[in-house]
């Protein structure tokens, strides 16, 4: 069977970014909890709107393949911030089924990191740019 790296990258983009979109849409108009966490650590609440960049804007750009590497980097750092803010106590914790408590965040973050290093592939809007 012939390998198709570009199709694999498209599937990765749709999977990682598409699944994150559900989280972003669920947060539309519901940033109170995130803004409260930010206030508790002395960070201005307006920073909470960065969630929309991480969970809505970056995934949409990744799916369509526009500035995928840049969007993936933003997405990756957003996942790192989420990990540190909300799940820092769970980094080495195991779930009751034996997996890591943070495995979903790791899958999102590392999937985005893969796309940062590979780019979007040829099935995308921008394929001739170094920040595809």
């Amino acid at each position: 069977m012939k390998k198709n790296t570009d199709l694999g990258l498209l599937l990765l983009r749709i999977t990682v970014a598409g699944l994150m979109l559900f989280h972003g849409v669920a947060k539309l108009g519901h940033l109170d909890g995130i803004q409260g966490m930010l206030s508790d650590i002395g960070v201005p609440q307006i920073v909470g709107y960065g969630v929309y960049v991480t969970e809505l804007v970056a995934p949409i750009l990744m799916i369509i393949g526009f500035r995928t590497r840049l969007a993936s980097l933003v997405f990756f750092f957003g996942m790192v911030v989420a990990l540190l803010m909300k799940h820092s106590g769970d980094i080495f914790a195991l779930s009751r089924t034996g997996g890591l408590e943070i495995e979903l965040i790791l899958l999102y973050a590392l999937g985005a990191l893969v796309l940062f290093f590979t780019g979007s592939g040829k099935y995308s809007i921008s394929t001739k740019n170094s920040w595809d």
Side-chain angles (χ1 to χ4, degrees):
M1 185 170 167
K2 185 177 176 188
K3 85 175 180 178
N4 190 336
T5 303
D6 293 309
L7 185 58
L9 290 171
L10 173 64
L11 184 57
L12 180 62
R13 289 188 352 246
I14 291 170
T15 302
V16 170
L19 290 174
M20 180 51 69
L21 275 176
F22 287 101
H23 294 273
V25 169
K27 288 182 180 83
L28 282 173
H30 302 289
L31 288 180
D32 299 340
I34 293 166
Q35 290 176 328
M37 280 191 296
L38 292 169
S39 289
D40 291 346
I41 61 172
V43 177
Q45 289 185 348
I46 196 154
V47 174
Y49 288 99
V51 167
Y52 293 143
V53 174
T54 298
E55 297 185 10
L56 288 171
V57 177
I60 289 169
L61 294 175
M62 289 165 66
I63 289 170
I64 65 173
F66 184 74
R67 306 281 192 222
T68 303
R69 294 184 67 218
L70 182 59
S72 297
L73 190 61
V74 168
F75 185 100
F76 171 77
F77 282 116
M79 293 298 97
V80 170
V81 169
L83 177 67
L84 296 174
M85 282 188 60
K86 181 79 172 146
H87 304 281
S88 61
D90 299 330
I91 290 177
F92 298 108
L94 296 178
S95 68
R96 56 187 171 89
T97 58
L100 285 174
E101 284 286 338
I102 61 166
E103 66 187 18
L104 185 58
I105 288 182
L106 288 176
L107 282 170
Y108 283 130
L110 296 176
L113 199 56
V114 167
L115 288 169
F116 169 73
F117 286 115
T118 63
S120 59
K122 72 178 182 181
Y123 302 124
S124 65
I125 286 180
S126 61
T127 58
K128 294 181 172 113
N129 189 306
S130 64
W131 284 101
D132 70 339

